[in-house]
Amino acid sequence: MAHHLALILTCQLAGDLTMQWLGVAFPGALFGMLLLFLILCVAGGPADGMRSTAGGLIDHLGLFIVPTATAFVGVAALLVSEALSLAVAIVLPTIVAMSTVALIATLALRREPEPQHGNRESLT
Amino acid sequence: MNSFRMALAWLALTLAIYGITARVQKRTGFALVNPLLVTMLVMGGLTTVLGVPHQTYFAHVAILNYLLGAAVVALAVPLYVNLRRLRTKLWLSLAAMIAASVSSAALTLYLSTLLDLSRTMQLSLMPKHSTTAVSIEVAHAIGGLPALAAFLTVTTSIVTAVLGPWLLDVMGIRSPCARGLAYGLAGHAVGTSRAFAESEITGCWSSIAMTVNAVLTALLVPPLVAAWLAARP
């Protein structure tokens, strides 16, 4: 468990340093995610310990955002006064995003039958 | 009380509210009882009533913030597992996701200008379809406010989970692949939990779309915003 967390933190650090070095505005942690993905591809998949460590972290993703997200109180008045415009600017793009991806995927899938059940054996 | 005990008290309260809300949501399956949304509203309200500045509260619970980046890195594990499982149609679904990501970002830019939202609000809205942890980073990079982005991104996630099933039914979308991609792409975490409620395969597609769209948003939104700002300063 501890060494899996160490690998995750190392990827995060490497991602952070790489992005700082390149000077691009791409989140270092997300680059670290891609690094870990490459490592998993090379290693042929995550070990059980890595699965549980990663699962534990991801299950609490929302909790880790609480400190930053609570700062919204400083702009609460602004959110209330712009509530109607914000609702429009959130709902319409959400409808467009969902319908675009769903329609293209449906049209593409019409040609070939989709596998209804994943191969569970390939997970292990 | 000294600072260490204050930190323990705030931390315990935050964890308790988050944990209780998560249990209530598991029982009821109601998207509005989102643990992050409820915890940020309660803690935000409580610190305001008690006159505790946000920086003080943040310092007390900063230990939670330290693990945010690690949790984003950990998303590589479900991405790998789900991609192995659903190898078919990967390139087509990637093309579909890019088209959806770009069109909704462009529409957001257009609408927020049309509705005369402030520049800060507009930039904080831009990454709203990526997972909240990444959305905060992207908003910060393009000149938005991370706190606003967090609130708007969580709201988007909930809107997707509430509106999504109805929208997809009206459109006659039945394939688990198409439904899952739509939930994950537009509604990241809450969308994905809604997708898992439909079927496991829908949830796996949603989980792929959530992670892919986090990367797409971080890659596509900053240049899109830069081009827009250059065109109409």
Side-chain angles (χ1 to χ4, degrees):
Chain A
M1 292 291 280
H3 59 284
H4 294 119
L5 188 59
L7 179 61
I8 290 174
L9 294 178
T10 309
C11 286
Q12 188 188 353
L13 180 64
D16 231 33
L17 288 173
T18 313
M19 287 305 112
Q20 196 194 29
W21 179 61
L22 289 174
V24 284
F26 188 82
L30 204 56
F31 190 73
M33 195 268 296
L34 295 173
L35 284 179
L36 182 60
F37 181 78
L38 283 180
I39 291 172
L40 293 176
C41 289
V42 171
D48 285 345
M50 177 54 101
R51 270 166 202 259
S52 53
T53 307
L57 282 168
I58 295 165
D59 284 347
H60 296 93
L61 198 53
L63 183 62
F64 302 148
I65 299 165
V66 169
T68 306
T70 307
F72 87 93
V73 289
V75 287
L78 193 63
L79 285 167
V80 171
S81 67
E82 301 275 28
L84 200 65
S85 302
L86 286 173
V88 174
I90 286 176
V91 171
L92 291 185
T94 301
I95 291 175
V96 166
M98 291 190 82
S99 44
T100 306
V101 74
L103 281 178
I104 297 178
T106 306
L107 289 178
L109 283 165
R110 202 171 276 170
R111 303 187 178 212
E112 284 175 55
E114 177 184 3
Q116 288 297 311
H117 301 284
N119 183 0
R120 280 211 150 265
E121 273 65 49
S122 72
L123 282 175
T124 48
Chain B
M1 269 207 288
N2 66 29
S3 181
F4 179 62
R5 287 173 189 158
M6 283 297 283
L8 287 178
W10 281 114
L11 197 57
L13 190 60
T14 306
L15 289 169
I17 293 168
Y18 190 92
I20 291 167
T21 319
R23 284 200 65 157
V24 171
Q25 186 175 49
K26 218 168 198 176
R27 289 246 175 103
T28 61
F30 194 43
L32 265 177
V33 196
N34 177 263
L36 171 57
L37 185 73
V38 171
T39 311
M40 68 194 261
L41 289 176
V42 171
M43 298 317 288
L46 198 63
T47 48
T48 309
V49 168
L50 295 176
V52 178
H54 177 256
Q55 294 94 310
T56 313
Y57 173 71
F58 189 96
H60 286 322
V61 295
I63 186 171
L64 298 173
N65 185 52
Y66 292 148
L67 286 167
L68 184 54
V72 172
V73 174
L75 287 172
V77 175
L79 180 68
Y80 179 88
V81 172
N82 290 323
L83 280 182
R84 276 284 312 262
R85 196 173 160 185
L86 306 164
R87 263 169 294 200
T88 52
K89 298 292 170 200
L90 233 45
W91 293 108
L92 275 169
S93 45
L94 185 65
M97 286 189 270
I98 293 174
S101 198
V102 171
S103 54
S104 79
L107 181 64
T108 308
L109 264 179
Y110 176 73
L111 281 175
S112 54
T113 310
L114 196 71
L115 293 162
D116 208 20
L117 288 169
S118 73
R119 185 53 51 87
T120 313
M121 192 65 96
Q122 181 176 31
L123 295 177
S124 308
L125 261 174
M126 284 309 293
K128 66 186 181 313
H129 295 296
S130 87
T131 185
T132 315
V134 173
S135 173
I136 295 170
E137 294 287 320
V138 174
H140 181 69
I142 60 177
L145 221 58
L148 267 181
F151 184 87
L152 298 169
T153 307
V154 176
T155 309
T156 306
S157 197
I158 292 166
V159 166
T160 306
V162 173
L163 217 67
W166 170 83
L167 177 70
L168 294 169
D169 288 346
V170 165
M171 290 176 63
I173 307 287
R174 260 178 244 105
S175 116
C177 167
R179 292 182 76 97
L181 287 174
Y183 282 127
L185 181 114
H188 43 102
V190 188
T192 299
S193 64
R194 166 68 221 182
F196 270 111
E198 287 190 3
S199 80
E200 206 196 328
I201 202 109
T202 315
C204 288
W205 278 112
S206 181
S207 180
I208 291 175
M210 172 178 95
T211 319
V212 169
N213 199 31
V215 178
L216 286 179
T217 304
L219 281 176
L220 299 174
V221 162
L224 187 71
V225 167
W228 176 271
L229 291 181
R232 29 161 67 221

